[in-house]
């Protein structure tokens, strides 16, 4: 059980000691194993200050001594590394057909990864209650393992403002839901709760943990019942003026095409979203995963009807993405969600359509690839967001009890 | 006549004295009138160092003494301000139907603004020669006024890489033209020559000089024979991985629509570019301006045919822009070029189409406005780019001769 330092938001951190704690923590993370003397030499802090800060971080169990000492000129130095194992960050995602939860320790080790079918279209009260219930189960598990929980970030497929209010999530049928406040309340007010768009969290996870990590101009496409893009430009998340960027799902692709959850027709997600890929009447959440598995099986068995449908879907997806590539010229676009198992059949025609739709030769260099993070991307990015709070100055305090 | 410090590119500036000269120059620009003591107090440089740096900047005529002294405790202080009048920066633009040139002094005062009809489609050799000839006339005029020329930036409607090579400019019919090297050579190698996309320079001008200056998420749309977008996100130009961002002109708007200069059909610029607005066979460059003037006259006289055509064009423009607004959620989109005189008739239907095409309520807050910089935007942004080089450490030296 831990408590958190309350008070100012990360950007306002003015407390010199907190700032110095973060400086030391970051240095050790980047340079471990290293000694107190190394920290002092690199940071310009006095050795006495560093000793005091390190003692504090050892108490909080954010650092630990490796047990190894290094013999240098003078006294042997005890080496330090980041511990972080006593603390866990939780990332969750709600989508039209499932909930996910991921927990990571401060060192970035994944502690658990859960997914379950859920009818996300049953309204905000049901969705919030289900998220809170799942969060409580995760928290109980983490505590049983002796870990303190730092906070929870939830990804939502829709327009989320900076305060964590979901203004519109067509595929959940949510409008103006203050999810951050509701969930904070439902969890007893004990944790930081953050809410962001699922694609924004997905691209953050790809930027950090995916095979394209560190690509400065990176786009992540959620391949779910809805489709959204998370955009990183020159290493920074592009949010737009109100936080509503990335709505590629509502680019018109087929004039007078099938109706879309947003009320328009022929939008990208209406023609290549999961519902369109599966066809027929909207299946229940439980059936979506098996319907995709069935598609994969039939495509693998060269079912001509399925191969043609996926080829056409890839072409339309590529046409929609060419609009994004013409505007943003990213280095890589990563396809996530249900597109991952279907990628072998979607990618060829999608890449061809991208090449033909982008003005710059060779698609302007934009590569199209399938994610390796699967349905966990948004939740992983959410957990990472919580861990980032520590680096931003929200140093956790282990409760003495 | 001046020479320039040669050597490292701005980002590599390592020379401490140059860095300090820039620090002093920037401080005085931001806080003029101010004294040497003010500079020393704010920058942490010693008074002796500041006196020496200021003497250098006075010699180079980048600073001047205002003649006013301020009586404070102790000795009266002589006040300083930025001079910059002896130096001029040149911005130019080549488009399908015209050339423009703008000159500004380092203080940001516009010294001249020229525009002339030109057939930009006659090939790169003709275009480069015309740009060089126009640059020479501007340089001669500036020198006759006793000014030294810092450099030239040229805006081109197409894909320009970081080295200043124009890879593709469909409406000029250019491909792989090393305009930077060619123009540098044509001007005798005496100046910095920079080349960038016209929309990138246009948005830089709007961000600096337009009524929406400082808007962190700002888009500028060139309204010419072609259409391109310059994108500023969180105060930074969004270039993409190879510099090919902003190609909104080739978003498909009308399926199987009219052919576009890029070889595709129904692109945004094929249906609402200048050629489409005027209709009929492609007019000569000299006739384009008068054709637009004629449209404005007829629209002003409530010519039903023209009003309907502009209403439809505004609708299609708004539909194309809604794709951009869904992806980027900018605060403001500024319409430039020929759209400025036509704005009164384009904006109503364009705004309505934007509202209906953007997923977020109220267009996600994105405003649509007409530029006040007219056809000078790209050239203005180009001149500003040259002035920025001074701040980046390319301190000019007045030639003693």
């Amino acid at each position: 059980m831990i408590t958190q330092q309350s008070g100012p938001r990360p950007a306002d951190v003015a407390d010199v000691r907190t700032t110095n704690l973060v400086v030391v923590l970051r240095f050790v993370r980047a340079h471990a194993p290293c000694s107190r003397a190394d920290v002092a030499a690199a940071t310009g802090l006095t050795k006495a200050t560093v000793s005091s800060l390190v003692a504090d971080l050892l108490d909080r169990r954010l650092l630990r001594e490796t047990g190894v000492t290094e013999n240098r000129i003078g006294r042997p130095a005890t080496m330090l590394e980041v511990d972080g194992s006593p603390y866990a960050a939780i990332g969750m995602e709600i989508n039209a057909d499932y909930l996910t939860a991921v927990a990571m320790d401060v060192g970035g080790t994944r502690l658990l990864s859960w997914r379950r079918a859920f009818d996300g279209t049953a309204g905000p009260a049901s969705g919030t209650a289900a998220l809170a219930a799942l969060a409580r189960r995760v928290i109980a598990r983490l505590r049983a393992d002796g870990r303190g929980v730092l906070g929870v970030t939830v990804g939502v497929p829709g327009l989320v403002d900076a305060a964590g209010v979901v203004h519109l999530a067509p595929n959940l049928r949510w409008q103006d839901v203050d999810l951050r406040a509701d969930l904070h309340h439902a969890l007893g007010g004990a944790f930081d709760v953050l809410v962001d768009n699922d694609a924004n969290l997905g691209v953050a996870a790809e930027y950090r943990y995916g095979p394209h990590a560190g690509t400065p101009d990176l786009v992540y496409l959620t391949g779910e019942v809805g489709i959204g893009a998370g955009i990183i430009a020159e290493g920074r998340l592009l949010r737009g003026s109100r936080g509503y960027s990335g709505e590629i799902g509502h680019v018109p692709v087929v004039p007078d095409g099938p109706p879309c959850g947003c009320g328009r027709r022929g939008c990208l997600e209406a023609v290549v979203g999961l519902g369109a890929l599966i066809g027929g009447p909207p299946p229940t959440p439980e059936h979506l995963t098996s319907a995709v598995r069935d598609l994969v099986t039939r495509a693998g068995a060269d079912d001509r009807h399925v191969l043609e449908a996926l080829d056409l879907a890839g072409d339309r997806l590529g046409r929609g993405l060419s609009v994004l590539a013409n505007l943003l010229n990213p280095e890589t676009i990563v396809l996530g969600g249900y597109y991952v198992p279907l990628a072998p059949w979607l990618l060829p025609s999608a890449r061809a359509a991208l090449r033909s739709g982008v003005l710059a030769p060779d698609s302007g260099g934009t590569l199209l690839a399938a994610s390796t993070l699967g349905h966990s991307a948004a939740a992983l990015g959410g957990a990472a967001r919580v861990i980032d709070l520590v680096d931003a100055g929200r140093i956790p305090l282990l409760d003495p009890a």
Side-chain angles (χ1 to χ4, degrees), chain A residues 243-256:
Chain A
Y244 299 160
S245 67
E247 291 301 334
I248 194 177
H250 305 283
V251 167
V253 174
V254 176
D256 302 319

Side-chain angles (χ1 to χ4, degrees), chain A residues 142-162:
Chain A
L142 293 168
R143 285 189 179 155
D145 293 344
R147 297 179 205 270
V149 176
L150 294 172
V152 180
T153 305
V154 183
V156 178
L159 306 171
V160 182
D161 72 15

Side-chain angles (χ1 to χ4, degrees), chain A residues 241-285:
Chain A
S241 68
R242 292 195 181 173
Y244 299 160
S245 67
E247 291 301 334
I248 194 177
H250 305 283
V251 167
V253 174
V254 176
D256 302 319
C260 179
C262 73
R264 300 173 188 83
R265 304 187 73 91
C267 296
L268 183 65
E269 76 175 39
V271 297
V272 297
L274 185 57
L277 287 184
I278 289 173
T284 60

Side-chain angles (χ1 to χ4, degrees), chain A residues 51-376:
Chain A
S51 287
S52 161
L53 293 166
V54 167
D56 198 343
L57 292 168
L58 291 170
D59 280 352
R60 294 165 196 253
R61 293 182 56 199
L62 284 163
L63 293 185
R64 65 182 159 211
E65 295 180 327
T66 62
V68 178
T69 56
E70 199 167 279
N71 287 309
R72 308 187 183 180
I73 298 165
R75 288 201 303 179
T78 306
M79 304 306 274
L80 302 165
E81 64 184 8
V82 169
D83 183 351
S85 61
Y87 301 101
I90 301 173
M92 302 178 77
E93 183 194 355
I94 180 168
N95 219 305
D97 56 315
Y98 65 82
L99 299 174
T100 57
V102 159
M104 278 200 295
D105 71 16
V106 174
T109 302
R110 210 191 290 201
L111 303 172
L112 63 83
S113 189
W114 292 348
R115 178 161 188 264
R116 68 180 184 87
F118 174 72
D119 184 2
T121 65
S126 144
T128 306
L131 282 167
L134 185 58
R136 278 190 216 102
R137 281 182 51 206
V138 175
I139 291 163
R141 165 71 70 90
L142 293 168
R143 285 189 179 155
D145 293 344
R147 297 179 205 270
V149 176
L150 294 172
V152 180
T153 305
V154 183
V156 178
L159 306 171
V160 182
D161 72 15
V165 176
V166 182
H167 284 286
L168 187 65
N171 294 307
L172 301 184
R173 298 178 196 157
W174 286 17
Q175 208 164 344
D176 297 320
V177 177
D178 192 350
L179 181 62
R180 182 177 182 172
D182 293 348
L183 203 55
H184 190 254
H185 179 75
L187 294 175
F191 307 103
D192 271 322
V193 175
L194 304 173
V195 180
D196 203 345
N197 172 273
D198 58 347
N200 285 349
L201 295 174
V203 78
E206 291 290 345
Y207 189 72
R208 201 150 164 162
Y209 305 114
H212 306 279
T215 300
D217 296 286
L218 184 67
V219 170
Y220 175 81
L221 201 73
T222 66
E224 308 293 347
V225 172
I227 302 174
I231 301 163
I232 285 182
E234 291 189 21
R236 304 200 307 180
L237 187 64
L238 191 153
R239 290 190 175 276
S241 68
R242 292 195 181 173
Y244 299 160
S245 67
E247 291 301 334
I248 194 177
H250 305 283
V251 167
V253 174
V254 176
D256 302 319
C260 179
C262 73
R264 300 173 188 83
R265 304 187 73 91
C267 296
L268 183 65
E269 76 175 39
V271 297
V272 297
L274 185 57
L277 287 184
I278 289 173
T284 60
E286 290 77 9
H287 291 155
L288 276 177
T289 305
S290 63
V292 171
R293 200 178 301 128
D294 183 48
L295 270 185
V296 169
T297 305
R298 289 166 63 194
D302 289 333
D303 179 321
R304 203 180 119 209
H305 178 72
V306 169
L307 290 180
E308 279 173 5
L310 290 176
D311 187 69
L312 178 64
D315 175 72
R316 288 166 165 180
L317 182 61
R319 282 200 273 148
L321 289 175
S322 71
V323 170
L324 180 150
N326 270 321
L327 278 173
L328 300 174
N329 185 218
E331 189 174 330
T332 305
I333 300 173
V334 178
L335 303 183
Y338 289 110
Y339 288 151
V340 176
L342 296 171
W345 300 281
L346 292 172
L347 280 176
S349 54
R351 285 177 177 143
L354 190 70
R355 268 195 305 278
S356 99
V358 171
L359 179 67
D362 189 28
S363 307
T366 300
L367 300 175
L368 200 54
S371 174
T372 57
L373 303 177
H375 285 283
S376 304

